[in-house]
Amino acid sequence: MEPGSVENLSVVYRSNDFLVVNKHWDLRIDSKARQETLTLQKQLRHRFPELADPDTCYGFRFCHQLDFSTSGALCVALNKAAAGSAYRCFKERRVTKAYLALVRGHIQESQVTISYAIGKNSTEGRTHTMCIAGTQGCANPKPSLTELVVLEHGLYASSPVSKVLLKPLTGRTHQLRVHCSALGHPIVGDLTYGQAVDREDQPFRTMLHALYLRIPTQAECVEACTPDPFLPTLDACWSPHTLVQPLDQLIQALRAAPDPDPTDHGSGPCSPSTPQPGPGLPHPETEAQRASCLQWLSEWTLEPDD
């Protein structure tokens, strides 16, 4: 995937209510900076000027976030009702997301469940980062869960690397980057949570990509799978030598899996069978969370739920 420009927006799903784009790496979703900066919002305005909503700050309603350095599937709602229906899916933990990453070292297990609690780093100079419970300065850590599946072992610029599929079962800030680092296998190119090496040896990007996204709204199933960017034909520094598990089989399993439904609202449009409870029921909603939800819904949907 070439670096982003205003003209080369890649759309992988489109309906009357939603777009899913394949966001470029090192691209901000939006920006209030005065200087001219390329953003996903500007790409959308350039490609779909007729879809921009003047009632929103940036013209488009982003249903979720991807880090600046992360590429891949990102969903955009095209009206208030659609944004509200997507928000409910995220709030009820009914969204399925899967990422690809190249991580340092050869992970010996074929599958790993990472369950380090994650909190905000209160250490001076590191307050923009997150950390795991038990480390110095880790404030208010919350339970966090990531499933990791090893796809391939190989070398990246002569260093041992594993290609992995990551499925976050919670949605903490920087969760995948923090969890991989805590496991001892930081993401290749992650300068914040990765290993300090010579700048000359740094990859051209952080090797984290949002591969798959499914949002089972009541009206439609928003489902998209983006192309794999971590192929030797696209990056000569990456040289896989041992196949552990085929990616296409895992994608088929993601598509066939029932939607998580811990709130017991019944099957959504994507579910091929009766959904089973997800890993861990959500905690009871606090008054502050409820107020935040109602404020969000009042801004993005036609009417908030009772």
Side-chain angles (χ1 to χ4, degrees):
M1 193 177 186
E2 72 277 8
S5 68
V6 73
E7 294 89 5
N8 66 354
L9 177 69
S10 174
V11 177
V12 293
Y13 178 94
R14 183 177 181 183
S15 70
N16 290 333
D17 291 327
F18 294 98
L19 291 172
V20 178
V21 301
N22 187 10
K23 173 188 167 298
H24 285 82
W25 46 272
D26 286 2
L27 180 71
R28 299 191 186 284
I29 294 175
D30 46 48
S31 175
K32 294 182 179 179
R34 292 185 177 181
Q35 64 269 27
E36 187 66 23
T37 302
L38 179 66
T39 62
L40 177 56
Q41 177 260 342
K42 290 179 181 178
Q43 288 182 317
L44 287 164
R45 278 189 177 275
H46 180 81
R47 178 80 168 271
F48 301 108
E50 73 283 3
L51 299 181
D53 187 341
D55 292 336
T56 64
C57 181
Y58 296 107
F60 294 89
R61 299 175 174 87
F62 300 105
C63 298
H64 56 115
Q65 299 286 316
L66 288 179
D67 289 345
F68 166 76
S69 58
T70 304
S71 60
L74 191 144
C75 185
V76 182
L78 300 180
N79 55 67
K80 290 183 179 181
S85 64
Y87 172 78
R88 293 185 188 96
C89 288
F90 279 96
K91 180 175 179 291
E92 295 166 2
R93 300 185 186 181
R94 300 183 62 232
V95 175
T96 299
K97 295 185 287 183
Y99 293 72
L100 288 177
L102 298 181
V103 301
R104 299 285 182 187
H106 289 163
I107 302 175
Q108 297 307 308
E109 303 88 346
S110 61
Q111 298 186 42
V112 181
T113 297
I114 313 173
S115 57
Y116 297 105
I118 296 176
K120 188 172 180 59
N121 196 335
S122 62
T123 306
E124 185 176 356
R126 299 283 295 175
T127 54
H128 65 292
T129 66
M130 309 299 287
C131 53
I132 62 170
T135 56
Q136 185 176 1
C138 188
N140 192 27
K142 297 179 180 179
S144 307
L145 200 62
T146 301
E147 292 180 352
L148 180 152
V149 180
V150 178
L151 303 172
E152 294 177 290
H153 291 151
L155 300 174
Y156 192 91
S158 301
S159 297
V161 159
S162 300
K163 183 175 179 177
V164 299
L165 182 80
L166 298 167
K167 186 177 178 182
L169 302 181
T170 51
R172 311 303 178 202
T173 301
H174 298 175
Q175 176 175 318
L176 300 181
R177 297 162 64 193
V178 172
H179 269 177
C180 287
S181 179
L183 192 65
H185 298 278
I187 294 174
V188 174
D190 186 351
L191 301 182
T192 302
Y193 301 102
Q195 298 168 337
V197 295
D198 294 337
R199 287 280 177 171
E200 295 180 357
D201 296 332
Q202 288 293 350
F204 66 96
R205 59 162 291 180
T206 298
M207 301 298 175
L208 180 62
H209 175 78
L211 175 75
Y212 177 82
L213 176 68
R214 183 169 74 227
I215 308 175
T217 73
Q218 289 299 316
E220 70 179 280
C221 173
V222 179
E223 185 177 35
C225 189
T226 58
D228 178 1
F230 306 137
L231 301 173
T233 52
L234 301 177
D235 186 351
C237 292
W238 165 232
S239 177
H241 58 61
T242 303
L243 176 66
V244 180
Q245 297 192 57
L247 177 58
D248 57 349
Q249 292 182 9
L250 294 177
I251 293 174
Q252 290 175 17
L254 285 169
R255 291 186 182 279
D259 299 309
D261 195 6
T263 53
D264 195 29
H265 285 183
S267 299
C270 293
S271 299
S273 60
T274 302
Q276 300 299 316
L281 295 175
H283 297 292
E285 189 175 44
T286 65
E287 287 299 323
Q289 289 171 329
R290 178 62 176 165
S292 176
C293 170
L294 289 174
Q295 180 181 0
W296 193 97
L297 288 172
S298 69
E299 295 173 357
W300 294 85
T301 63
L302 297 176
E303 293 292 339
D305 286 340
D306 293 331

